[in-house]
Short mmCIF file of all heavy atoms in Angstrom, two decimals:
data_model
loop_
_atom_site.label_atom_id
_atom_site.label_comp_id
_atom_site.label_asym_id
_atom_site.label_seq_id
_atom_site.Cartn_x
_atom_site.Cartn_y
_atom_site.Cartn_z
N TYR R 29 -16.20 20.21 0.22
CA TYR R 29 -16.45 18.85 0.64
C TYR R 29 -15.20 18.27 1.29
O TYR R 29 -14.09 18.71 1.02
CB TYR R 29 -16.84 17.98 -0.56
CG TYR R 29 -18.17 18.39 -1.14
CD1 TYR R 29 -18.24 19.35 -2.14
CD2 TYR R 29 -19.34 17.83 -0.68
CE1 TYR R 29 -19.46 19.75 -2.65
CE2 TYR R 29 -20.56 18.22 -1.19
CZ TYR R 29 -20.61 19.17 -2.18
OH TYR R 29 -21.82 19.55 -2.67
N GLU R 30 -15.43 17.27 2.15
CA GLU R 30 -14.31 16.57 2.74
C GLU R 30 -14.62 15.09 2.81
O GLU R 30 -15.78 14.69 2.91
CB GLU R 30 -13.96 17.11 4.13
CG GLU R 30 -15.03 16.92 5.18
CD GLU R 30 -14.69 17.55 6.52
OE1 GLU R 30 -13.88 18.49 6.55
OE2 GLU R 30 -15.26 17.10 7.51
N LEU R 31 -13.56 14.30 2.71
CA LEU R 31 -13.67 12.85 2.90
C LEU R 31 -13.18 12.53 4.29
O LEU R 31 -12.13 13.02 4.73
CB LEU R 31 -12.78 12.11 1.90
CG LEU R 31 -13.29 11.89 0.50
CD1 LEU R 31 -12.25 11.15 -0.32
CD2 LEU R 31 -14.59 11.13 0.50
N ASN R 32 -13.92 11.69 4.98
CA ASN R 32 -13.55 11.25 6.32
C ASN R 32 -13.34 9.75 6.31
O ASN R 32 -14.21 9.00 5.83
CB ASN R 32 -14.65 11.61 7.32
CG ASN R 32 -14.86 13.10 7.39
OD1 ASN R 32 -13.93 13.85 7.57
ND2 ASN R 32 -16.10 13.53 7.24
N PHE R 33 -12.21 9.31 6.82
CA PHE R 33 -11.87 7.90 6.89
C PHE R 33 -11.88 7.46 8.35
O PHE R 33 -11.15 8.02 9.18
CB PHE R 33 -10.48 7.66 6.30
CG PHE R 33 -10.43 7.86 4.81
CD1 PHE R 33 -10.44 9.13 4.26
CD2 PHE R 33 -10.36 6.78 3.96
CE1 PHE R 33 -10.39 9.32 2.89
CE2 PHE R 33 -10.32 6.95 2.59
CZ PHE R 33 -10.33 8.22 2.05
N PHE R 34 -12.72 6.48 8.65
CA PHE R 34 -12.89 5.99 10.01
C PHE R 34 -12.39 4.56 10.13
O PHE R 34 -12.60 3.74 9.22
CB PHE R 34 -14.38 6.01 10.42
CG PHE R 34 -14.97 7.39 10.41
CD1 PHE R 34 -15.60 7.88 9.27
CD2 PHE R 34 -14.90 8.19 11.53
CE1 PHE R 34 -16.16 9.15 9.26
CE2 PHE R 34 -15.46 9.47 11.53
CZ PHE R 34 -16.08 9.94 10.39
N ASP R 35 -11.76 4.25 11.27
CA ASP R 35 -11.35 2.88 11.55
C ASP R 35 -12.60 2.01 11.62
O ASP R 35 -13.56 2.35 12.30
CB ASP R 35 -10.59 2.84 12.88
CG ASP R 35 -10.08 1.46 13.20
OD1 ASP R 35 -10.89 0.64 13.69
OD2 ASP R 35 -8.89 1.19 12.96
N LYS R 36 -12.60 0.88 10.90
CA LYS R 36 -13.78 0.02 10.86
C LYS R 36 -14.10 -0.59 12.23
O LYS R 36 -15.26 -0.84 12.53
CB LYS R 36 -13.58 -1.11 9.84
CG LYS R 36 -13.73 -0.65 8.42
CD LYS R 36 -13.68 -1.82 7.46
CE LYS R 36 -13.89 -1.31 6.06
NZ LYS R 36 -13.93 -2.41 5.08
N ASP R 37 -13.09 -0.82 13.05
CA ASP R 37 -13.31 -1.46 14.34
C ASP R 37 -13.70 -0.47 15.43
O ASP R 37 -14.63 -0.70 16.19
CB ASP R 37 -12.06 -2.24 14.77
CG ASP R 37 -11.75 -3.38 13.83
OD1 ASP R 37 -12.71 -4.01 13.31
OD2 ASP R 37 -10.56 -3.65 13.59
N THR R 38 -12.98 0.65 15.51
CA THR R 38 -13.20 1.59 16.61
C THR R 38 -14.08 2.78 16.21
O THR R 38 -14.51 3.53 17.08
CB THR R 38 -11.86 2.15 17.11
OG1 THR R 38 -11.26 2.93 16.08
CG2 THR R 38 -10.92 1.03 17.55
N GLU R 39 -14.30 2.97 14.92
CA GLU R 39 -15.04 4.11 14.38
C GLU R 39 -14.36 5.45 14.67
O GLU R 39 -14.98 6.51 14.57
CB GLU R 39 -16.49 4.12 14.87
CG GLU R 39 -17.26 2.89 14.44
CD GLU R 39 -18.71 2.91 14.87
OE1 GLU R 39 -19.21 3.97 15.25
OE2 GLU R 39 -19.33 1.85 14.80
N GLU R 40 -13.08 5.40 15.01
CA GLU R 40 -12.30 6.61 15.25
C GLU R 40 -11.94 7.27 13.93
O GLU R 40 -11.58 6.60 12.96
CB GLU R 40 -11.02 6.25 16.00
CG GLU R 40 -10.09 7.41 16.25
CD GLU R 40 -8.79 6.99 16.92
OE1 GLU R 40 -8.63 5.81 17.27
OE2 GLU R 40 -7.93 7.87 17.07
N LEU R 41 -12.05 8.60 13.87
CA LEU R 41 -11.65 9.34 12.68
C LEU R 41 -10.14 9.24 12.53
O LEU R 41 -9.39 9.62 13.43
CB LEU R 41 -12.08 10.81 12.79
CG LEU R 41 -11.69 11.70 11.62
CD1 LEU R 41 -12.36 11.25 10.33
CD2 LEU R 41 -12.04 13.14 11.93
N ILE R 42 -9.69 8.72 11.39
CA ILE R 42 -8.26 8.51 11.16
C ILE R 42 -7.69 9.58 10.22
O ILE R 42 -6.63 10.13 10.47
CB ILE R 42 -7.99 7.11 10.57
CG1 ILE R 42 -8.57 6.02 11.48
CG2 ILE R 42 -6.51 6.89 10.32
CD1 ILE R 42 -7.95 5.95 12.87
N HIS R 43 -8.40 9.85 9.13
CA HIS R 43 -7.94 10.83 8.14
C HIS R 43 -9.11 11.70 7.70
O HIS R 43 -10.25 11.24 7.64
CB HIS R 43 -7.38 10.14 6.89
CG HIS R 43 -6.24 9.23 7.13
ND1 HIS R 43 -4.99 9.66 7.49
CD2 HIS R 43 -6.16 7.88 7.07
CE1 HIS R 43 -4.20 8.62 7.64
NE2 HIS R 43 -4.89 7.52 7.39
N GLU R 44 -8.78 12.93 7.37
CA GLU R 44 -9.77 13.88 6.87
C GLU R 44 -9.12 14.67 5.74
O GLU R 44 -8.03 15.20 5.91
CB GLU R 44 -10.19 14.81 8.01
CG GLU R 44 -11.26 15.79 7.67
CD GLU R 44 -11.62 16.61 8.89
OE1 GLU R 44 -10.93 17.61 9.16
OE2 GLU R 44 -12.59 16.24 9.56
N PHE R 45 -9.77 14.67 4.58
CA PHE R 45 -9.21 15.34 3.41
C PHE R 45 -10.20 16.37 2.87
O PHE R 45 -11.36 16.03 2.63
CB PHE R 45 -8.91 14.33 2.29
CG PHE R 45 -7.89 13.31 2.66
CD1 PHE R 45 -8.29 12.06 3.13
CD2 PHE R 45 -6.54 13.57 2.55
CE1 PHE R 45 -7.35 11.10 3.46
CE2 PHE R 45 -5.59 12.62 2.88
CZ PHE R 45 -6.00 11.38 3.35
N GLU R 46 -9.75 17.60 2.67
CA GLU R 46 -10.58 18.61 2.02
C GLU R 46 -10.50 18.40 0.51
O GLU R 46 -9.42 18.23 -0.04
CB GLU R 46 -10.09 20.01 2.37
CG GLU R 46 -10.34 20.39 3.80
CD GLU R 46 -9.92 21.82 4.10
OE1 GLU R 46 -9.38 22.50 3.19
OE2 GLU R 46 -10.12 22.24 5.23
N LEU R 47 -11.65 18.41 -0.13
CA LEU R 47 -11.73 18.19 -1.57
C LEU R 47 -12.04 19.51 -2.26
O LEU R 47 -13.18 19.77 -2.65
CB LEU R 47 -12.79 17.14 -1.87
CG LEU R 47 -12.62 15.80 -1.16
CD1 LEU R 47 -13.80 14.91 -1.42
CD2 LEU R 47 -11.33 15.13 -1.62
N ILE R 48 -11.04 20.34 -2.40
CA ILE R 48 -11.26 21.69 -2.90
C ILE R 48 -11.65 21.71 -4.38
O ILE R 48 -12.24 22.68 -4.85
CB ILE R 48 -10.04 22.61 -2.64
CG1 ILE R 48 -8.78 22.01 -3.26
CG2 ILE R 48 -9.86 22.84 -1.16
CD1 ILE R 48 -7.56 22.91 -3.15
N ASN R 49 -11.35 20.67 -5.13
CA ASN R 49 -11.67 20.62 -6.55
C ASN R 49 -13.03 19.99 -6.83
O ASN R 49 -13.42 19.87 -7.99
CB ASN R 49 -10.61 19.86 -7.33
CG ASN R 49 -9.27 20.56 -7.30
OD1 ASN R 49 -9.20 21.77 -7.16
ND2 ASN R 49 -8.21 19.80 -7.42
N LEU R 50 -13.74 19.57 -5.81
CA LEU R 50 -15.03 18.93 -5.98
C LEU R 50 -16.14 19.95 -5.75
O LEU R 50 -16.11 20.69 -4.77
CB LEU R 50 -15.16 17.78 -4.97
CG LEU R 50 -16.19 16.71 -5.27
CD1 LEU R 50 -15.82 15.93 -6.52
CD2 LEU R 50 -16.33 15.77 -4.09
N ASN R 51 -17.12 19.99 -6.66
CA ASN R 51 -18.20 20.94 -6.50
C ASN R 51 -19.55 20.22 -6.41
O ASN R 51 -19.62 18.99 -6.51
CB ASN R 51 -18.18 21.99 -7.62
CG ASN R 51 -18.42 21.41 -8.99
OD1 ASN R 51 -19.24 20.51 -9.16
ND2 ASN R 51 -17.72 21.92 -9.98
N ASP R 52 -20.62 20.99 -6.24
CA ASP R 52 -21.96 20.42 -6.07
C ASP R 52 -22.38 19.57 -7.26
O ASP R 52 -23.00 18.52 -7.08
CB ASP R 52 -22.99 21.54 -5.86
CG ASP R 52 -22.76 22.30 -4.56
OD1 ASP R 52 -22.08 21.78 -3.66
OD2 ASP R 52 -23.28 23.44 -4.45
N GLU R 53 -22.06 20.01 -8.47
CA GLU R 53 -22.42 19.25 -9.67
C GLU R 53 -21.71 17.91 -9.71
O GLU R 53 -22.31 16.90 -10.10
CB GLU R 53 -22.10 20.05 -10.93
CG GLU R 53 -22.98 21.27 -11.12
CD GLU R 53 -22.57 22.10 -12.33
OE1 GLU R 53 -21.78 21.61 -13.16
OE2 GLU R 53 -23.05 23.23 -12.44
N HIS R 54 -20.44 17.88 -9.32
CA HIS R 54 -19.70 16.63 -9.28
C HIS R 54 -20.35 15.65 -8.30
O HIS R 54 -20.56 14.48 -8.63
CB HIS R 54 -18.24 16.86 -8.84
CG HIS R 54 -17.45 17.70 -9.76
ND1 HIS R 54 -16.46 18.53 -9.31
CD2 HIS R 54 -17.47 17.85 -11.10
CE1 HIS R 54 -15.90 19.15 -10.32
NE2 HIS R 54 -16.50 18.75 -11.44
N VAL R 55 -20.65 16.15 -7.11
CA VAL R 55 -21.24 15.29 -6.08
C VAL R 55 -22.59 14.73 -6.54
O VAL R 55 -22.87 13.55 -6.38
CB VAL R 55 -21.37 16.04 -4.73
CG1 VAL R 55 -22.17 15.23 -3.73
CG2 VAL R 55 -19.99 16.35 -4.18
N PHE R 56 -23.39 15.58 -7.15
CA PHE R 56 -24.68 15.11 -7.65
C PHE R 56 -24.51 14.04 -8.72
O PHE R 56 -25.23 13.04 -8.74
CB PHE R 56 -25.53 16.27 -8.18
CG PHE R 56 -26.93 15.87 -8.52
CD1 PHE R 56 -27.90 15.81 -7.54
CD2 PHE R 56 -27.26 15.51 -9.82
CE1 PHE R 56 -29.20 15.43 -7.84
CE2 PHE R 56 -28.55 15.13 -10.13
CZ PHE R 56 -29.52 15.08 -9.14
N SER R 57 -23.54 14.22 -9.60
CA SER R 57 -23.33 13.23 -10.66
C SER R 57 -22.77 11.92 -10.11
O SER R 57 -23.03 10.86 -10.66
CB SER R 57 -22.40 13.78 -11.75
OG SER R 57 -21.08 13.90 -11.31
N ILE R 58 -22.04 11.98 -9.01
CA ILE R 58 -21.48 10.77 -8.38
C ILE R 58 -22.55 10.04 -7.57
O ILE R 58 -22.76 8.84 -7.73
CB ILE R 58 -20.27 11.13 -7.49
CG1 ILE R 58 -19.11 11.63 -8.35
CG2 ILE R 58 -19.84 9.93 -6.65
CD1 ILE R 58 -18.01 12.29 -7.55
N LEU R 59 -23.22 10.78 -6.69
CA LEU R 59 -24.14 10.15 -5.74
C LEU R 59 -25.59 10.08 -6.24
O LEU R 59 -26.37 9.25 -5.77
CB LEU R 59 -24.12 10.91 -4.40
CG LEU R 59 -22.79 10.99 -3.67
CD1 LEU R 59 -22.95 11.84 -2.42
CD2 LEU R 59 -22.27 9.61 -3.33
N GLY R 60 -25.94 11.00 -7.12
CA GLY R 60 -27.31 11.05 -7.59
C GLY R 60 -28.21 11.91 -6.71
O GLY R 60 -29.42 11.98 -6.91
N PHE R 61 -27.63 12.59 -5.75
CA PHE R 61 -28.36 13.51 -4.87
C PHE R 61 -27.38 14.51 -4.29
O PHE R 61 -26.17 14.30 -4.29
CB PHE R 61 -29.10 12.76 -3.75
CG PHE R 61 -28.20 11.93 -2.86
CD1 PHE R 61 -27.63 12.46 -1.72
CD2 PHE R 61 -27.95 10.59 -3.16
CE1 PHE R 61 -26.81 11.71 -0.90
CE2 PHE R 61 -27.14 9.82 -2.34
CZ PHE R 61 -26.57 10.37 -1.21
N SER R 62 -27.91 15.61 -3.78
CA SER R 62 -27.10 16.65 -3.14
C SER R 62 -26.97 16.35 -1.65
O SER R 62 -27.89 15.80 -1.05
CB SER R 62 -27.74 18.02 -3.32
OG SER R 62 -27.82 18.33 -4.69
N LEU R 63 -25.87 16.75 -1.07
CA LEU R 63 -25.67 16.53 0.37
C LEU R 63 -26.32 17.61 1.22
O LEU R 63 -26.66 17.36 2.38
CB LEU R 63 -24.18 16.43 0.70
CG LEU R 63 -23.51 15.15 0.21
CD1 LEU R 63 -22.02 15.18 0.53
CD2 LEU R 63 -24.15 13.92 0.83
N ASP R 64 -26.48 18.81 0.71
CA ASP R 64 -27.15 19.90 1.42
C ASP R 64 -26.65 20.05 2.86
O ASP R 64 -27.44 20.14 3.80
CB ASP R 64 -28.67 19.70 1.41
CG ASP R 64 -29.25 19.73 0.01
OD1 ASP R 64 -28.74 20.50 -0.82
OD2 ASP R 64 -30.20 18.97 -0.25
N GLY R 65 -25.33 20.08 3.03
CA GLY R 65 -24.74 20.28 4.34
C GLY R 65 -24.65 19.01 5.19
O GLY R 65 -24.26 19.08 6.35
N ASN R 66 -24.95 17.88 4.63
CA ASN R 66 -24.92 16.61 5.36
C ASN R 66 -23.77 15.73 4.90
O ASN R 66 -22.98 16.12 4.05
CB ASN R 66 -26.25 15.87 5.17
CG ASN R 66 -27.40 16.61 5.81
OD1 ASN R 66 -27.37 16.94 6.98
ND2 ASN R 66 -28.41 16.90 5.00
N CYS R 67 -23.73 14.53 5.44
CA CYS R 67 -22.73 13.53 5.09
C CYS R 67 -23.41 12.30 4.52
O CYS R 67 -24.59 12.06 4.76
CB CYS R 67 -21.93 13.12 6.32
SG CYS R 67 -21.00 14.48 7.08
N ALA R 68 -22.63 11.51 3.79
CA ALA R 68 -23.12 10.24 3.27
C ALA R 68 -21.97 9.24 3.26
O ALA R 68 -20.83 9.60 2.94
CB ALA R 68 -23.67 10.41 1.86
N ASP R 69 -22.27 8.01 3.63
CA ASP R 69 -21.28 6.94 3.52
C ASP R 69 -21.07 6.65 2.05
O ASP R 69 -22.01 6.72 1.25
CB ASP R 69 -21.76 5.68 4.22
CG ASP R 69 -21.86 5.86 5.73
OD1 ASP R 69 -21.17 6.74 6.28
OD2 ASP R 69 -22.62 5.11 6.36
N ILE R 70 -19.83 6.33 1.69
CA ILE R 70 -19.56 6.03 0.29
C ILE R 70 -18.85 4.68 0.17
O ILE R 70 -18.11 4.26 1.05
CB ILE R 70 -18.74 7.13 -0.41
CG1 ILE R 70 -17.40 7.36 0.28
CG2 ILE R 70 -19.52 8.43 -0.47
CD1 ILE R 70 -16.47 8.22 -0.54
N SER R 71 -19.08 4.05 -0.96
CA SER R 71 -18.47 2.77 -1.27
C SER R 71 -17.17 3.00 -2.03
O SER R 71 -16.84 4.13 -2.43
CB SER R 71 -19.42 1.95 -2.14
OG SER R 71 -19.60 2.59 -3.39
N LYS R 72 -16.44 1.91 -2.28
CA LYS R 72 -15.22 2.01 -3.07
C LYS R 72 -15.53 2.52 -4.48
O LYS R 72 -14.75 3.26 -5.06
CB LYS R 72 -14.53 0.65 -3.15
CG LYS R 72 -13.82 0.25 -1.90
CD LYS R 72 -13.06 -1.03 -2.11
CE LYS R 72 -12.33 -1.43 -0.85
NZ LYS R 72 -11.50 -2.61 -1.05
N GLU R 73 -16.68 2.12 -5.02
CA GLU R 73 -17.08 2.57 -6.35
C GLU R 73 -17.21 4.09 -6.40
O GLU R 73 -16.71 4.75 -7.31
CB GLU R 73 -18.40 1.92 -6.75
CG GLU R 73 -18.92 2.36 -8.10
CD GLU R 73 -20.28 1.76 -8.41
OE1 GLU R 73 -20.56 0.64 -7.97
OE2 GLU R 73 -21.05 2.45 -9.09
N TYR R 74 -17.88 4.65 -5.40
CA TYR R 74 -18.02 6.11 -5.33
C TYR R 74 -16.67 6.78 -5.10
O TYR R 74 -16.40 7.85 -5.66
CB TYR R 74 -18.99 6.53 -4.24
CG TYR R 74 -20.43 6.23 -4.54
CD1 TYR R 74 -21.27 5.73 -3.56
CD2 TYR R 74 -20.97 6.45 -5.80
CE1 TYR R 74 -22.60 5.46 -3.81
CE2 TYR R 74 -22.30 6.18 -6.07
CZ TYR R 74 -23.11 5.69 -5.08
OH TYR R 74 -24.43 5.42 -5.34
N LEU R 75 -15.84 6.16 -4.29
CA LEU R 75 -14.51 6.73 -4.02
C LEU R 75 -13.70 6.82 -5.31
O LEU R 75 -13.03 7.83 -5.55
CB LEU R 75 -13.77 5.90 -2.98
CG LEU R 75 -12.39 6.43 -2.57
CD1 LEU R 75 -12.50 7.81 -1.94
CD2 LEU R 75 -11.71 5.46 -1.63
#
Side-chain angles (χ1 to χ4, degrees):
Y29 293 89
E30 65 184 23
L31 278 180
N32 298 309
F33 291 75
F34 298 92
D35 183 279
K36 284 186 178 183
D37 296 324
T38 66
E39 298 182 15
E40 177 184 355
L41 178 63
I42 304 297
H43 301 289
E44 183 178 84
F45 298 96
E46 290 183 358
L47 304 174
I48 57 175
N49 295 333
L50 200 66
N51 64 39
D52 295 340
E53 291 176 13
H54 297 147
V55 171
F56 188 84
S57 71
I58 293 167
L59 300 177
F61 59 90
S62 299
L63 289 178
D64 297 325
N66 294 306
C67 298
D69 293 336
I70 59 168
S71 65
K72 285 186 179 184
E73 178 184 328
Y74 288 139
L75 182 62

